[in-house]
Amino acid sequence: MNTLLSHLLKLEAAKTGQHCSASAVDEDGYDLWLRYRPLADPRRSAVENAVRAFVFGAASPTMTAARKELERAFFAMLVKCVPVLDDGEICDGAVVAGTPENLPLIAALDLPLSDLGKEGYCVSSLTHDGKRVTAIAANTDIGVLYGCFAFLRHIQTGGDPAKIDLASAPKLDLRLLNHWDNLDGSVERGYAGYSIWDWWTLPDYVNRRYVDYARANASVGINGTVLNNVNAAPEILNDLHLQKAAKLADVFRPYGLKVFLSVNFASPSALGELATSDPADPAVQQWWKDKAREVYRLVPDFGGFLVKANSEGQPGPGDYGRNHAEGANMLADALAPHGGILIWRAFVYASDPGTDRATEALSEFKPLDGTFRNNVLLQVKNGPIDFQPREPVSPAFGQITKTPLVMEFQITKEYLGQATHLAYLGPAFEEVLKFDTRARGAGTTVSRILKGEVFPQKVTGIAAVANIGTDRDWTGGTFNQANWYVYGRLAWDPDEPAAAIAEDWVKMTFTDEPGFVRTVVDMMMGSHETLVNYMMPYGLHHQVATGHHYGPGPWVSELDRPEWNPTYYNRADENGIGFNRLSDGSNAVAQYSPEVAALFADPHGFDERYLLWFHHVPWDFPLTCGKTLWEGLATRYDEGVDGVSRMMKSWESLRPQVDSQRFEQVRAFLQIQHREAKWWRDACLAYFSAIAHRPLPEGHAAPAHTLEHYRTIHFRFAPGDPA
């Protein structure tokens, strides 16, 4: 059933006072968490009494966007239009939105705006001239828009419409989405269809989806988007594609969303305009200066470039005997006159079999710390390998102190079951952000480092690889939307609890009925640990099948580069399992502060979460629970499968409260997840049992098939597979 018909049915039900069951009206997920639905009494009466009219500041593209959002939302929730009063008018129950500059009434209210900066907002219930009003105020128009979304979230999540006291400002300057979208419409590691950017029809045709994309990002405070893949095609910088990017920038601008582009370091020569791309060559330097000038002519508020260089075959300054700082500084100098940022990814590793891949990024960039221009930011993945289900924090956080660092998370679940497995990433993000690096004593958390509270930095930021595509629900599944949402909220405030964010998302996406919310939030908060258990418990990592990273492959050992092979990481043999990163191994532990290194060196540290990441231990190694490692592994794999079973039962109990379309999709995905959790469990235990020459511990069922059966499972044309 389409969205319009769905709204009409619910509007009619609300007007007549009839009950409209959730399962009677299907929803396709397009509205995301901006899902404004008719309110039922007494809630509707309370909101109607508190929102009787709007007063808006002087029109601008951003103020117009704010006005449209409030009018759209309250028309849907109250089933009627809320009148708009002229500037200077006010009534009991007025909602007043503006800045001191565009609405004199805001200046008269004496609101606490001085500490809110350019993007912060204040939403307050107060009395003015004897009338009850709600003020949505900020220092800038974009702050007003953010405040409008905060006001709507307060209403959507059941807050008292007559008692509001909200004030918030972002803790990080840059809050970016990284799209790994290619110019041919494919998306690397994308599991929700094709790229939403239709490069073929841009700039002439502007899909409404682009506006709704910008609305969704503004609603959680995301303020920048990198349009294309870090494995960048040089053609993104030709005139044709820059015109297309400029059109998207025009669409996004009212929503505070700046455009960034990933660029190929070898663009001057790859486009055939120069014979070299050597950053020390004056002609190359001038080429980039001219290109930056061209970009800013088309997009005056362009954010900057993102670069992946000398990594996984991408060209970079190393091709010309130059280091990363020399390459980054050349691009930064081209952007600097225009106020642009150069974001340089620190995801690099070589193919030396004697070098631990986990150590390479810090080894490469630590000697260069302090040599980058002040408009260069290093973008560092949350862990030292590659978005694994669980990784220790990258040692760069706390060890690189003179160059601003941008955290890089991954929203798209490349290694986490892709689109079909329910894995709410809020707890995983939270685990990283709260991690205490001890780099400047106790309390030196990653969050504080990112916010510039430990090592002062001119610009702060965070980024995440998007999971967005052309699927009607945007993300290839309802619960995948929650990962986009929680990332945005944590980008605004890295210290916000993941559980509270999940609760808001459930209320906005489904219903605020307490039993429903409690059940779904419990599912979400336990889902990541469940996935870790059935995939890679106790610090195992990179045990996926090759290329597409779909399904288990702990036996893979034949790939050209040693660090692409799962056996490189599990090191399983008849004596034990795990990667020795202690002083008598790769010594990766030495890259952390002494206090953290000591905890990692303790095999029981951190509740054994990272045991096999840092230690090669015997199969009979005693765990704190009293079991041997072999028994513990079997137990964790079983707990993972059982965890999915519990989620299936919980979801089934909610059938009467969810529309049938979304209910059936989640139900089917949980069935897929359960089947694949058993696949992971059986394949991994079959392999490790064979390697260890040990039967499964007593009480644990044998795998459903032979090891040879699991080794022969292969996939072609998997979604998001760059091959």
Side-chain angles (χ1 to χ4, degrees), residues 4-86:
L4 177 59
L5 182 54
S6 167
H7 280 209
L8 291 173
L9 282 173
K10 289 194 173 185
L11 291 174
E12 185 62 28
K15 287 189 289 186
T16 60
Q18 296 174 344
H19 173 69
C20 182
S21 69
S23 60
V25 182
D26 280 346
E27 298 186 38
D28 59 17
Y30 183 84
D31 292 336
L32 298 162
W33 49 89
L34 302 178
R35 180 180 166 272
Y36 311 125
R37 295 295 184 267
L39 301 171
D41 279 329
R43 178 78 178 150
R44 176 182 169 183
S45 296
V47 173
E48 191 172 28
N49 189 50
V51 184
R52 294 184 175 179
F54 295 131
V55 179
F56 293 104
S60 71
T62 299
M63 286 300 300
T64 299
R67 172 173 176 166
K68 286 181 178 179
E69 199 67 35
L70 290 181
E71 290 180 329
R72 171 208 299 257
F74 284 100
F75 174 77
M77 290 190 286
L78 301 178
V79 202
K80 68 175 188 179
C81 291
V82 176
V84 177
L85 304 180
D86 293 333

Side-chain angles (χ1 to χ4, degrees), residues 387-461:
F387 301 131
Q388 297 303 292
R390 169 166 282 136
E391 296 191 46
V393 168
S394 168
F397 296 104
Q399 298 303 312
I400 291 180
T401 63
K402 301 173 185 176
T403 308
L405 299 184
V406 172
M407 171 66 73
E408 183 178 335
F409 284 128
Q410 189 180 57
I411 304 172
T412 191
K413 304 199 304 291
E414 177 181 353
Y415 296 97
L416 292 89
Q418 303 182 3
T420 53
H421 290 213
L422 197 167
Y424 173 56
L425 300 184
F429 296 161
E430 191 174 51
E431 181 178 313
V432 172
L433 293 167
K434 287 184 174 180
F435 188 88
D436 191 348
T437 69
R438 306 290 184 95
R440 289 292 185 272
T444 313
T445 62
V446 172
S447 170
R448 291 190 61 226
I449 291 171
L450 289 176
K451 290 184 291 184
E453 296 175 0
V454 181
F455 313 113
Q457 51 191 69
K458 183 178 179 181
V459 180
T460 60

Side-chain angles (χ1 to χ4, degrees), residues 20 61 123 154 340 401 428 464 467 566 606 617 677 701 710 717:
C20 182
V123 185
H154 178 83
T401 63
N467 64 346
F606 297 104
V617 297
Y710 296 115
F717 315 119

Side-chain angles (χ1 to χ4, degrees), residues 344-360:
W344 193 270
R345 290 180 91 228
F347 178 58
V348 297
Y349 59 93
S351 56
D352 180 359
T355 302
D356 179 1
R357 174 176 168 182
T359 67
E360 294 194 57

Side-chain angles (χ1 to χ4, degrees), residues 94 155 203 266 307 313 498 519 589 596 674:
I155 301 296
V307 181
T519 298
V589 70
V596 171
H674 188 250

